[in-house]
């Protein structure tokens, strides 16, 4: 019997972030801040809320600052303590994962999301796990992964992906679902196509960056077959599990901001800023005063 808990989450953060150059030349895109927290930290907090105990980062060259971010910063902590800046000190310490709960592995070549997940195989082992793409910032309560884990438990396992209806013309950017029966927020998945042209898309229900996967996914990823963009695609490996186990999409109640995209990233900053009591009044004044033209 597979464990009926999701204890581990994989964060694939080895992508090149080319859409954010030159900002991402020396800084990983996951470290860009939404208001005052790096994008990656929102994903980690969401995972923690969903009961995740082990955080597995698949990194690449130039991503070591992500490791530093989830470690102690002794000089800073000593300085803030000496100056009695308790609020700031608290903000540092609350983001620190428990001892031994974080691990890092490297994807030596950016061969695709599926390949990045495969790199975490030895750390995940033989149990179901979550994959969180931090670029997709999910805002809402309960958190997106929490909602998915709850659905996964009710269903009794298998694959659960987060999904969102997108305008037809955007299907080429997503894995698209051929939907079966829907019950509330949960839709049965009958088929999957990675990045189809709108005319070839089976629906406009698109997979977004949260997954719950069984360990059987690794055998499919091991085939290392290249898909769209000549990359080893997670969607293709998931598609091979169709019919072998329950497979569902969950439409969460959270708002999604695509922080891998310039406009999405700015939108996330505005939305999160406007929801923050400490800065919302000043931000509202500024936004109202903007002459945005047409
Ligand atoms: P993206 O498609 O956003 O690619 O990856 P990217 O390289 O990060 O960014 P751009 O398009 O060049 O700006 C989606 C997710 O998959 C991870 C990324 O880090 C991101 O979380 N990924 C992608 C890997 O970890 N390895 C890969 O080889 C590809």
């Amino acid at each position: 019997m597979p464990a009926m808990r999701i204890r581990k989450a994989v964060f694939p953060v080895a992508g090149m972030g080319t859409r954010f150059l030159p900002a991402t030349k020396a800084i990983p895109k996951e470290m860009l801040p939404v208001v005052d927290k790096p994008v990656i930290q929102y994903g980690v907090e969401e995972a923690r809320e969903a009961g995740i105990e082990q955080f597995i980062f698949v990194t690449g060259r130039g991503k070591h600052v992500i490791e530093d971010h989830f470690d102690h910063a002794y000089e800073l902590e000593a300085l803030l303590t000496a100056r009695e800046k308790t609020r700031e000190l608290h903000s540092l310490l609350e983001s620190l994962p428990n001892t031994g709960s974080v691990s890092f592995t490297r994807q030596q070549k950016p061969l695709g999301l599926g390949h990045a997940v495969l790199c975490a195989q030895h750390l995940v082992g033989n149990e179901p796990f979550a994959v969180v793409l931090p670029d997709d910032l999910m805002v809402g309560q309960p958190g997106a992964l929490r909602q998915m884990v709850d659905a996964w438990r009710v269903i009794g396992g298998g694959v659960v992906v987060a999904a969102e209806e997108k305008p037809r013309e955007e299907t080429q950017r997503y894995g698209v679902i051929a939907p079966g029966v829907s019950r509330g927020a949960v839709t049965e998945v009958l088929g999957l196509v990675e990045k189809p042209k709108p005319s070839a898309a089976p629906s406009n229900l698109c997979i977004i960056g949260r997954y719950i996967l069984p360990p059987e996914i690794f055998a499919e990823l091991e085939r290392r077959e290249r898909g769209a963009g000549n990359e080893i695609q997670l969607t293709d490996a998931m598609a091979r599990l169709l019919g072998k186990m329950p497979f569902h999409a969950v439409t969460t109640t959270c708002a999604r901001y695509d922080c891998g995209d310039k406009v999405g990233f700015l939108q996330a900053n505005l939305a999160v800023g406007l929801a923050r009591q400490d800065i919302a009044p000043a931000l509202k004044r500024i936004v109202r005063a903007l002459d945005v033209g047409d």
Side-chain angles (χ1 to χ4, degrees), residues 48 72-73 77 81 88-97:
R48 192 183 292 150
H72 277 288
E77 287 167 21
T81 307
E88 289 81 356
L89 184 64
H90 183 71
S91 81
L92 276 193
L93 297 180
E94 75 176 356
S95 67
L96 212 59

Side-chain angles (χ1 to χ4, degrees), residues 259-276:
C259 292
D261 170 80
K262 289 191 217 352
V263 175
F265 175 75
L266 293 172
Q267 186 190 13
N269 268 285
L270 280 173
V272 173
L274 289 169
R276 282 258 306 247

Side-chain angles (χ1 to χ4, degrees), residues 12-19 29-30 107 110-113 116 133-135 260:
V13 290
M16 304 295 279
T18 53
R19 281 172 289 169
K29 65 174 170 177
E30 296 80 13
Q107 184 189 26
L111 299 179
L113 176 59
L133 304 190
D135 281 1

Side-chain angles (χ1 to χ4, degrees), residues 3-291:
M4 281 313 281
R5 272 177 66 211
I6 305 291
R7 304 185 304 142
K8 299 182 178 180
V10 174
F11 297 81
V13 290
M16 304 295 279
T18 53
R19 281 172 289 169
F20 267 101
L21 286 169
T24 48
K25 187 178 170 194
I27 299 170
K29 65 174 170 177
E30 296 80 13
M31 288 304 294
L32 297 176
V34 170
V35 183
D36 51 8
K37 263 195 278 189
V39 167
I40 184 78
Q41 195 175 323
Y42 290 89
V44 166
E45 288 174 4
E46 182 192 322
R48 192 183 292 150
E49 189 225 353
I52 298 297
E53 297 163 2
Q54 289 288 326
F55 304 84
I56 300 166
F57 296 88
V58 182
T59 69
R61 267 179 297 287
K63 302 272 182 168
H64 56 272
V65 292
I66 297 178
E67 300 192 30
D68 293 342
H69 184 72
F70 291 107
D71 199 353
H72 277 288
Y74 287 108
E75 296 89 341
L76 205 49
E77 287 167 21
L79 186 88
L80 294 174
T81 307
R83 293 189 182 167
E84 294 180 6
K85 295 205 163 200
T86 42
R87 199 166 50 84
E88 289 81 356
L89 184 64
H90 183 71
S91 81
L92 276 193
L93 297 180
E94 75 176 356
S95 67
L96 212 59
N98 293 336
T99 311
S101 67
V102 183
S103 24
F104 296 88
T105 187
R106 276 214 178 195
Q107 184 189 26
Q108 289 159 321
K109 282 186 185 167
L111 299 179
L113 176 59
H115 181 256
V117 173
L118 181 60
C119 292
Q121 178 173 16
H122 62 294
L123 292 167
V124 171
N126 190 28
E127 61 180 281
F129 63 104
V131 173
V132 174
L133 304 190
D135 281 1
D136 277 348
L137 177 58
M138 303 295 289
V139 177
Q141 278 300 320
L145 194 59
R146 169 88 271 160
Q147 295 182 37
M148 293 170 67
V149 169
D150 289 347
W152 178 85
R153 268 208 210 100
V154 172
I155 294 161
V159 179
V160 171
V161 296
E164 223 177 54
E165 291 197 19
K166 307 300 294 178
R168 270 262 167 192
E169 57 274 18
E170 291 181 19
T171 57
Q172 258 176 108
R173 292 168 43 196
Y174 296 94
V176 181
I177 291 168
V181 179
S182 287
R183 260 193 212 94
V186 178
T187 301
E188 197 185 351
V189 177
L190 302 179
L192 288 177
V193 189
E194 181 64 18
K195 299 189 170 68
K197 292 203 168 71
S199 56
S203 75
N204 65 341
L205 191 60
C206 298
I207 300 179
I208 56 173
R210 301 286 182 278
Y211 311 77
I212 297 176
L213 298 169
E216 288 83 355
I217 193 75
F218 291 121
E220 305 302 337
L221 291 169
E222 270 296 358
R223 298 159 68 125
R224 293 166 196 254
E225 275 171 25
R226 303 292 181 117
N230 199 30
E231 292 191 337
I232 300 170
Q233 296 286 356
L234 184 59
T235 306
D236 296 342
M238 289 194 302
R240 289 198 207 95
L241 297 178
L242 284 162
K244 297 183 185 153
M245 58 182 67
F247 201 132
H248 294 86
V250 171
T251 315
T252 76
T253 56
C254 298
R256 166 186 177 253
Y257 304 102
D258 179 3
C259 292
D261 170 80
K262 289 191 217 352
V263 175
F265 175 75
L266 293 172
Q267 186 190 13
N269 268 285
L270 280 173
V272 173
L274 289 169
R276 282 258 306 247
Q277 280 178 2
D278 56 341
I279 58 169
L283 190 56
K284 274 182 193 163
R285 275 196 299 279
I286 290 166
V287 173
R288 276 196 209 103
L290 280 180
D291 181 2

